[in-house]
Amino acid sequence: MTESDSIQDTPMPLLEHLVELRRRLIWSIVSFVIAFAICYHFSGDIYRFLAAPLGRIMRQQGEQPHLIYTALYEAFFTYIRVAVFGAICLSFPMIAIQAWIFIAPGLYRSEKKAFAPFLIATPIMFLIGAALAYYVVFPFAWQFFLSFQNSGQGTGGMQIELQAKVSEYLTLVTRMILAFGICFELPVVLTLLVRVGLVGVAQLRKFRRYAIVASFAVAAVIAPPDAITMLSLAIPLVALYEVSILMARLVEPKPLTEED
């Protein structure tokens, strides 16, 4: 460790560390509360945005878009959950910044340079995964689910019609958005592990076949039980693993020579 790679920090007693941690937690909590208030004010608009893919499919099938709730409090608590979901997404950058401010002084300069690209890539990859779920997977999945409706003609008058609940729909879409967003962090996590030396590129290649099986297993657990949605998550996961190997080759530390 060279002198130019020293820790840019002065020793602090435990009490001062706790005070600093308290300060960062307060900033994070205040950010979340403000974001929650904003998101609750626009919770109806946010929910309509989340429900828009289902509405478009319903209109294409000649139906009036609608969702139902069966308990008096269901719609209210659904909007609360929408606000919490929106607040988490909206306040995450500030929370991440506060965490970095607290941790960064204890890192070496080279470690700060190593971590900085990953901090930038994390929200970007999450947004890419969430966008894939919303704009690509939802239309195909909702089309598949709505195909099971039946007008009753030719089946003895037995009509099968979707009556989706607002709370259940929110649970489904938020779970899928979070699942796709988190899964798209795979290149960030694996590349970081390689960068710090915990995993090597050779190991990633060796476990490729197990990663493929694990991708389909994760997709089967997280995604709804239909082939379209599971493949829509499993195939990108496999592709992301391959991308992780390529990115890891660029950041893998070179082995030390005898002269080093």
Side-chain angles (χ1 to χ4, degrees):
M1 197 68 64
T2 62
E3 184 176 346
S4 61
D5 193 30
S6 60
I7 297 178
Q8 304 298 311
D9 190 20
T10 56
M12 294 175 60
L14 177 60
L15 183 59
E16 290 188 26
H17 278 292
L18 294 177
V19 171
E20 179 65 14
L21 177 61
R22 175 177 173 272
R23 185 181 297 114
R24 299 306 154 201
L25 288 175
I26 290 175
W27 273 101
S28 299
I29 293 172
V30 170
S31 302
F32 177 82
V33 171
I34 294 174
F36 176 82
I38 295 172
C39 291
Y40 183 77
H41 180 72
F42 295 101
S43 57
D45 297 320
I46 297 173
Y47 192 91
R48 281 188 287 274
F49 173 77
L50 295 175
L54 179 62
R56 284 192 291 268
I57 301 300
M58 285 182 167
R59 290 190 188 94
Q60 292 173 6
Q61 297 187 355
E63 301 180 39
Q64 179 63 33
H66 66 281
L67 293 168
I68 67 170
Y69 63 96
T70 57
L72 291 175
Y73 52 82
E74 183 177 348
F76 169 73
F77 281 108
T78 298
Y79 281 176
I80 292 290
R81 290 169 56 199
V82 168
V84 171
F85 176 73
I88 292 173
C89 297
L90 193 61
S91 63
F92 176 78
M94 177 58 72
I95 295 174
I97 290 172
Q98 296 304 314
W100 175 251
I101 293 174
F102 180 74
I103 296 173
L107 299 177
Y108 289 98
R109 186 173 299 174
S110 60
E111 292 173 335
K112 293 179 182 179
K113 292 181 179 180
F115 274 98
F118 298 100
L119 292 176
I120 298 173
T122 296
I124 294 176
M125 293 302 296
F126 184 90
L127 287 175
I128 293 174
L132 176 67
Y134 183 86
Y135 291 106
V136 178
V137 177
F138 285 0
F140 286 101
W142 298 173
Q143 181 77 42
F144 174 78
F145 293 144
L146 286 171
S147 66
F148 291 96
Q149 292 190 110
N150 195 308
S151 62
Q153 297 179 357
T155 57
M158 180 63 70
Q159 183 177 0
I160 301 175
E161 182 181 5
L162 172 68
Q163 295 291 335
K165 297 177 62 178
V166 292
S167 59
E168 293 177 352
Y169 180 81
L170 177 66
T171 299
L172 178 61
V173 297
T174 53
R175 187 180 72 175
M176 290 183 63
I177 288 175
L178 290 174
F180 274 79
I182 292 173
C183 287
F184 266 66
E185 300 295 341
L186 182 64
V188 178
V189 174
L190 292 182
T191 307
L192 180 60
L193 291 177
V194 172
R195 180 67 179 82
V196 299
L198 295 178
V199 180
V201 174
Q203 291 175 293
L204 295 180
R205 290 172 176 167
K206 180 179 179 181
F207 288 99
R208 178 184 279 119
R209 66 184 67 179
Y210 303 107
I212 294 174
V213 175
S215 297
F216 280 88
V218 169
V221 173
I222 294 177
D226 69 282
I228 296 176
T229 311
M230 286 190 290
L231 289 175
S232 299
L233 180 58
I235 292 176
L237 271 176
V238 175
L240 287 170
Y241 189 83
E242 296 298 328
V243 171
S244 302
I245 295 177
L246 295 177
M247 294 177 60
R249 291 177 58 186
L250 301 176
V251 302
E252 185 177 27
K254 296 180 180 180
L256 296 176
T257 61
E258 293 183 0
E259 294 180 357
D260 296 334

